[in-house]
Amino acid sequence: MKISYHWLKDFIKIEESPEQIANILTATGLEVEGIEKYEPIKGGLEGLVIGEVIECSPHPNADKLSLTKVAIGEAELVSIVCGAPNVTKGQKVIVATIGSTLYPSSGEPFKIKKSKIRGEASEGMICAEDEIGLGASHAGIMALNTALPNGTAATEYFDLPNDIVFEIGLTPNRADAASHLGVSRDLKAVLAREICLPSIPNLPKATTQSKLEVIVEDTEGSIRYSGISISGVKVSESPDWLKHRLQSIDLEPINNVVDITNYVLHELGQPLHAFDQSKITSGRVYVKTLAANTPFVTLDEKQRKLSAGDLMICNGDEPMCIAGVFGGINAGVTENTSVIFLESACFHPGRIRSTANYHSLKTDASFRFERGTDPEMTTKALWRAATLICEIAGGEIASELIDIYPNPIAKPIIDLSYRNIDRLIGKVLPREEIQRILIGLDFELSNQHEAGFTVLSPTYRVDVSREVDVIEEILRIYGLDNIELAPKNQTEFLAEFPKVDSSRLQQDISNILAGMGYSEIMTNSLTKPDFSQKIDGFDPNENVEILNKLSEELGVMRQHLAFTGMEVLAHNLNHRQRNLKLYEFGKTYKKLADGSYQEREKLTIYLVGDKNEENWTEKERKATFHDLYQVVSNVLIKLNQRDLQSNPYKNAMYGYALDVMNTAGSLAVLGQLHPKVGKLAGIKEEVFMADIDWQELLSQFDENTKLQKVSKFPEVRRDLSLVVDKKVSFSDIQQIVGRKEFGLVKKVNVFDVYEGDKIENGKKAYALSFILQDRERTLNEKDIDKTMARLIKLFENDLLALIRK
């Protein structure tokens, strides 16, 4: 939400700087996320002043140029070479001084420098309107009719004050602050200054009696409905002051009537809507619901199917507007409109929220209605807007005020005790300060006694209904920073802490991966449904679909992190980033057969291109599956996972893969991403990917790992070469070595694999190293030979291995 600094000054006297106001607002809960400078004209006409042409003569070396001497409020006249045909002595002009930058209506900006033009010095520039961004005319320089002294800033003549705009991150409960008036109320309470409300005079009585009738059928959806007819309206462009106000908060001016409704919306927080009354042919405005699937064309020229719960503003049975959300194209104000019906209402927040979500429509009006608006503001805002329309658009009141408010909302009555105020705030505040704050926030105090008092909450504070809500109001205005910490901190309960700090553990693994050259990515959980539809093994019926889709490209939640990760790979590869090492912590989502949903935390690692960049000590080498396997092993070891098994894994996601598991089940799947899957994302390069079940690893992680001292007895290495069938994996060898009787074998490693014409077809040779150690004594040759002999026998019997000697 954008709030103008100068607009706030219309409501309350502000002596503080924008930065100080930003700090005050943030402290009260209206967090200022950014401060921007608004310039009605780019560059703010900085360096441009009013000047007077004192001398003007033809240029001696150019027929179409003139030599001028111009007074700009300095001791010396400045010499300026001017090419405009209309420059003459005695003119008041706009002068761009040396060092200023001009931002023309078309073309690139340029800086004014001291120069020589056809041999004559020029110390500035006399400007045409298009050269300073004020228009399109380049017929000649601007001749001013002004008594302002020479040297006066051009901004003063054109009345184009710059502004400062606050970007406020409004929390959902603070609907009351969704306007300049609302923000001013908080400043009023903190600074103890009065608010000056905009002038809302009593309008003259209707000159012609409009016969328009309003009938509210749905009183549950329409809490209060007010309206008035205005005739003789001339729809045209808004005056500059109004356009600048709207543009300062990023609103594009449309026409004077629509701009006024937007202006009052951001001024007072009350949405309004103007109808072309000539289009209300029935003579009756109905507030009601229509049958489900009734077609309706909104202002964006899109046809929408209404739901049965949509509250509609109708011309008889013909819909004109989705109440509180979006107008219709057939009853909107156009340049031909002369009579308008101006609406101001308070609609049920839940109904508006449901409708806005159903149609995926988020507007300034729905933003406020679905959070709750002030029923007491409807007529005030209506009078304010009607006044401006009469002043700016030349309208006349054509009807009495229509105000349908069948069930007035009473102000909540809340009892407060000083004991609870002191307990929840954590400090005993002076009773006078408490009362001052609440009065400053427009609470009505009554029934005051020694233990407490009663307050009536203002109707615009729809979020304040309990004692704790009022205490929160006291605290945020008093200031959290003003609550001192007690000498001894204490609590009424002991918090439970998880056995495993998942955030810390995730950071540890991130550090390991970053140390190996991997970069973290974070992708959107939303993706396109094509992946689950076109990749075997994924069921499109298990997609978690988004009800209010922004687009089909973001229509479902991902079933696999690779669905969004591949888009990152493709983006980088398309930008010639060929060597990629990436990882992502994220969640996957699935709809189960019983209608429930599954959400699971995963860690996915990607490896593409070369393992290392070419340098003077080593040549570049293409990354392989085993490089990724080493990375996954490092992650699992850090999480105290040992004695793992690896089995071949078949899935349409992978060209080939391994499933790494322990006795409890699968922990990770890693392999080559299937080229057909990569092609869906536009990836042509070979991709290695690991899908790690982070949630399962967290559930198994035990921080209390038992550590052992380094043995003082030496290790012994023995190497062995065996020829086995191609189908025998290193995992099969590890399972044999892992038996209890081989406790002396601490580690087995494969340091070479051979397949070729020197061994039998269909076979391969493993070169293995075995590390043996006893923690109690030094191993002798007899122990070593006995262990190796048992291993060889099992390799020969179980794997049909041929031992190479």
Side-chain angles (χ1 to χ4, degrees):
M1 181 185 73
K2 292 186 182 293
I3 293 294
S4 158
Y5 177 67
H6 286 301
W7 201 340
L8 283 177
K9 290 183 175 182
D10 288 352
F11 288 94
I12 187 170
K13 183 179 180 182
I14 296 179
E15 301 168 345
E16 291 76 10
S17 68
E19 291 73 19
Q20 290 173 314
I21 293 298
N23 291 335
I24 292 171
L25 292 176
T26 299
T28 66
L30 301 179
E31 183 179 1
V32 177
E33 298 175 340
I35 302 177
E36 303 172 356
K37 186 176 181 181
Y38 167 71
E39 298 173 336
I41 299 295
K42 191 169 183 181
L45 302 183
E46 187 173 350
L48 275 67
V49 299
I50 292 176
E52 183 177 355
V53 180
I54 304 300
E55 299 178 13
C56 181
S57 59
H59 193 294
N61 303 317
D63 294 338
K64 295 184 179 182
L65 299 179
S66 300
L67 298 181
T68 67
K69 294 285 187 178
V70 184
I72 59 170
E74 297 180 354
E76 300 290 333
L77 301 179
V78 295
S79 299
I80 298 177
V81 176
C82 181
N86 64 328
V87 62
T88 61
K89 179 181 177 181
Q91 280 179 328
K92 286 275 193 170
V93 293
I94 296 296
V95 178
T97 59
I98 292 174
S100 60
T101 300
L102 296 187
Y103 296 85
S105 299
S106 61
E108 297 297 319
F110 58 93
K111 192 171 184 178
I112 302 299
K113 300 178 181 178
K114 186 175 181 179
S115 61
K116 279 195 174 184
I117 301 176
R118 295 290 183 95
E120 297 293 334
S122 186
E123 301 171 315
M125 178 176 171
I126 303 175
C127 303
E129 68 175 39
D130 68 322
E131 291 168 335
I132 58 177
L134 281 175
S137 174
H138 194 70
I141 60 171
M142 300 178 69
L144 309 181
N145 181 17
T146 178
L148 289 172
N150 299 330
T152 302
T155 52
E156 185 175 338
Y157 173 79
F158 291 109
D159 192 21
L160 294 172
N162 295 334
D163 200 355
I164 300 297
V165 178
F166 304 111
E167 179 71 46
I168 295 180
L170 196 67
T171 52
N173 65 308
R174 291 302 308 278
D176 65 291
S179 66
H180 287 77
L181 171 61
V183 173
S184 299
R185 291 188 185 115
D186 274 11
L187 292 176
K188 166 194 169 187
V190 174
L191 302 174
R193 296 173 192 163
E194 290 302 315
I195 278 184
C196 177
L197 293 173
S199 175
I200 307 177
N202 292 324
L203 290 173
K205 291 186 177 181
T207 55
T208 58
Q209 188 61 41
S210 171
K211 297 180 180 179
L212 197 65
E213 183 181 0
V214 175
I215 301 168
V216 177
E217 292 186 358
D218 191 337
T219 54
E220 183 269 339
S222 178
I223 298 169
R224 186 174 190 178
Y225 192 90
S226 307
I228 198 168
S229 296
I230 306 173
S231 62
V233 173
K234 185 177 180 181
V235 179
S236 61
E237 187 177 353
S238 294
D240 288 343
W241 72 266
L242 179 54
K243 290 192 291 186
H244 291 324
R245 276 285 168 91
L246 297 179
Q247 288 168 341
S248 70
I249 56 173
D250 278 355
L251 289 180
E252 193 64 32
I254 298 172
N255 60 54
N256 50 9
V257 173
V258 175
D259 291 350
I260 287 169
T261 61
N262 284 331
Y263 178 82
V264 174
L265 164 66
H266 288 273
E267 180 184 53
L268 303 179
Q270 173 61 43
L272 303 119
H273 190 77
F275 299 91
D276 186 333
Q277 190 163 318
S278 67
K279 305 292 180 63
I280 308 176
T281 54
S282 70
R284 292 182 177 180
V285 173
Y286 284 87
V287 184
K288 62 181 181 178
T289 56
L290 297 175
N293 296 319
T294 298
F296 178 59
V297 181
T298 46
L299 281 170
D300 56 2
E301 299 183 1
K302 292 182 179 179
Q303 186 181 85
R304 305 175 190 275
K305 300 289 186 180
L306 301 179
S307 75
D310 291 343
L311 188 65
M312 302 297 297
I313 312 300
C314 302
N315 167 28
D317 290 325
E318 178 188 349
M320 297 190 298
C321 175
I322 303 176
V325 181
F326 212 26
I329 195 168
N330 292 328
V333 173
T334 68
E335 59 184 12
N336 298 319
T337 301
S338 61
V339 182
I340 65 170
F341 174 66
L342 188 62
E343 164 197 280
S344 179
C346 177
F347 297 121
H348 191 284
R351 294 281 294 276
I352 302 303
R353 188 181 308 116
S354 176
T355 294
N357 289 335
Y358 179 81
H359 294 289
S360 300
L361 284 171
K362 295 296 181 181
T363 61
D364 282 344
S366 68
F367 177 86
R368 288 156 178 80
F369 278 128
E370 65 187 42
R371 286 162 173 77
T373 58
D374 179 13
E376 298 298 326
M377 183 57 73
T378 60
T379 54
K380 296 175 184 177
L382 189 64
W383 282 120
R384 171 65 168 161
T387 301
L388 291 172
I389 290 172
C390 289
E391 290 177 356
I392 295 172
E396 295 181 346
I397 303 301
S399 75
E400 298 296 329
L401 174 69
I402 299 169
D403 187 23
I404 302 173
Y405 194 13
N407 301 302
I409 295 176
K411 295 180 179 180
I413 301 173
I414 306 167
D415 292 324
L416 278 86
S417 73
Y418 287 121
R419 179 179 177 277
N420 285 337
I421 294 173
D422 297 340
R423 180 176 62 86
L424 292 178
I425 289 180
K427 180 180 180 179
V428 178
L429 302 186
R431 300 330 187 199
E432 298 79 10
E433 179 69 5
I434 292 173
Q435 295 178 20
R436 183 198 70 78
I437 289 173
L438 291 177
I439 293 172
L441 289 171
D442 294 339
F443 288 86
E444 298 176 28
L445 277 60
S446 63
N447 192 27
Q448 298 187 43
H449 48 86
E450 186 176 344
F453 54 95
T454 300
V455 300
L456 269 69
S457 174
T459 53
Y460 62 78
R461 288 309 304 269
V462 295
D463 60 319
V464 177
S465 59
R466 304 168 299 167
E467 181 185 31
V468 68
D469 298 330
V470 181
I471 296 172
E472 181 184 2
E473 292 298 295
I474 297 169
L475 176 57
R476 71 181 184 84
I477 298 301
Y478 181 77
L480 284 168
D481 293 341
N482 295 322
I483 306 299
E484 301 84 1
L485 291 176
K488 294 183 179 180
N489 294 325
Q490 61 185 25
T491 180
E492 296 178 357
F493 67 95
L494 292 176
E496 292 186 7
F497 293 93
K499 293 181 179 179
V500 178
D501 186 344
S502 59
S503 297
R504 184 186 62 79
L505 204 57
Q506 180 173 320
Q507 185 62 50
D508 290 344
I509 298 302
S510 292
N511 290 338
I512 290 174
L513 292 170
M516 291 187 288
Y518 284 76
S519 299
E520 185 174 10
I521 61 173
M522 288 180 281
T523 61
N524 196 337
S525 298
L526 303 177
T527 188
K528 51 190 174 184
D530 285 7
F531 292 120
S532 58
Q533 293 170 357
K534 296 180 179 179
I535 302 175
D536 293 339
F538 292 96
D539 186 354
N541 294 321
E542 294 180 343
N543 280 335
V544 179
E545 290 198 34
I546 304 302
L547 295 179
N548 53 336
K549 300 177 185 177
L550 296 175
S551 68
E552 287 300 324
E553 294 294 304
L554 299 172
V556 300
M557 307 289 279
R558 62 190 175 197
Q559 290 194 41
H560 197 290
L561 287 189
F563 290 178
T564 50
M566 286 190 296
E567 295 173 355
V568 175
L569 294 175
H571 177 80
N572 282 273
L573 291 169
N574 290 338
H575 286 77
R576 304 191 65 80
Q577 301 298 310
R578 300 300 183 191
N579 304 324
L580 301 174
K581 295 180 178 180
L582 307 173
Y583 71 94
E584 178 179 16
F585 288 94
K587 293 181 179 181
T588 60
Y589 307 86
K590 183 186 291 186
K591 184 178 181 180
L592 304 180
D594 61 1
S596 61
Y597 296 92
Q598 181 189 77
E599 181 179 289
R600 199 155 188 87
E601 295 181 78
K602 295 293 188 81
L603 164 62
T604 304
I605 305 173
Y606 306 94
L607 179 58
V608 184
D610 296 334
K611 181 181 183 297
N612 56 274
E613 300 285 350
E614 184 179 24
N615 58 70
W616 67 278
T617 61
E618 57 183 333
K619 293 184 179 180
E620 61 184 6
R621 175 176 71 78
K622 294 290 290 182
T624 67
F625 165 82
H626 300 286
D627 295 319
L628 182 63
Y629 187 90
Q630 184 61 55
V631 174
V632 174
S633 296
N634 290 343
V635 170
L636 296 178
I637 289 171
K638 175 63 179 178
L639 298 172
N640 297 331
Q641 291 290 344
R642 293 173 174 80
D643 301 326
L644 300 172
Q645 299 179 9
S646 300
N647 296 319
Y649 180 81
K650 291 185 178 181
N651 182 277
M653 282 287 289
Y654 299 91
Y656 57 85
L658 279 182
D659 186 4
V660 180
M661 59 183 66
N662 59 15
T663 55
S666 177
L667 298 176
V669 175
L670 62 153
Q672 178 207 48
L673 184 71
H674 200 291
K676 290 183 179 179
V677 176
K679 189 176 180 181
L680 292 176
I683 299 173
K684 298 179 182 179
E685 286 77 0
E686 185 176 37
V687 177
F688 297 104
M689 179 181 72
D691 180 27
I692 300 174
D693 194 333
W694 181 251
Q695 190 164 319
E696 181 63 27
L697 288 170
L698 289 178
S699 67
Q700 296 184 24
F701 181 71
D702 184 4
E703 289 186 302
N704 300 317
T705 305
K706 294 181 180 179
L707 302 178
Q708 293 181 330
K709 291 182 180 180
V710 177
S711 175
K712 62 182 179 180
F713 299 104
E715 296 178 344
V716 177
R717 169 171 170 158
R718 289 291 184 269
D719 294 346
L720 193 64
S721 178
L722 59 156
V723 179
V724 294
D725 190 273
K726 273 189 176 183
K727 296 181 179 179
V728 175
S729 66
F730 179 59
S731 177
D732 297 327
I733 296 172
Q734 287 179 307
Q735 289 182 31
I736 291 174
V737 178
R739 293 182 181 181
K740 288 184 179 181
E741 61 262 33
F742 300 116
L744 294 179
V745 181
K746 302 303 180 185
K747 184 178 180 182
V748 59
N749 182 49
V750 54
F751 59 87
D752 193 18
V753 180
Y754 174 77
E755 294 182 54
D757 55 4
K758 295 183 180 180
I759 59 176
E760 185 180 345
N761 189 30
K763 302 284 186 178
K764 61 181 174 182
Y766 280 115
L768 306 172
S769 65
F770 298 86
I771 304 299
L772 295 86
Q773 186 184 47
D774 192 318
R775 300 187 63 83
E776 304 297 330
R777 61 186 177 86
T778 300
L779 291 175
N780 55 45
E781 290 297 323
K782 182 177 179 181
D783 297 325
I784 297 169
D785 292 342
K786 184 178 179 181
T787 297
M788 294 304 297
R790 290 204 306 270
L791 279 172
I792 291 171
K793 185 175 182 181
L794 282 172
F795 291 152
E796 290 175 334
N797 293 337
D798 293 3
L799 304 179
L800 301 179
L802 172 65
I803 308 302
R804 302 178 70 187
K805 300 180 180 178

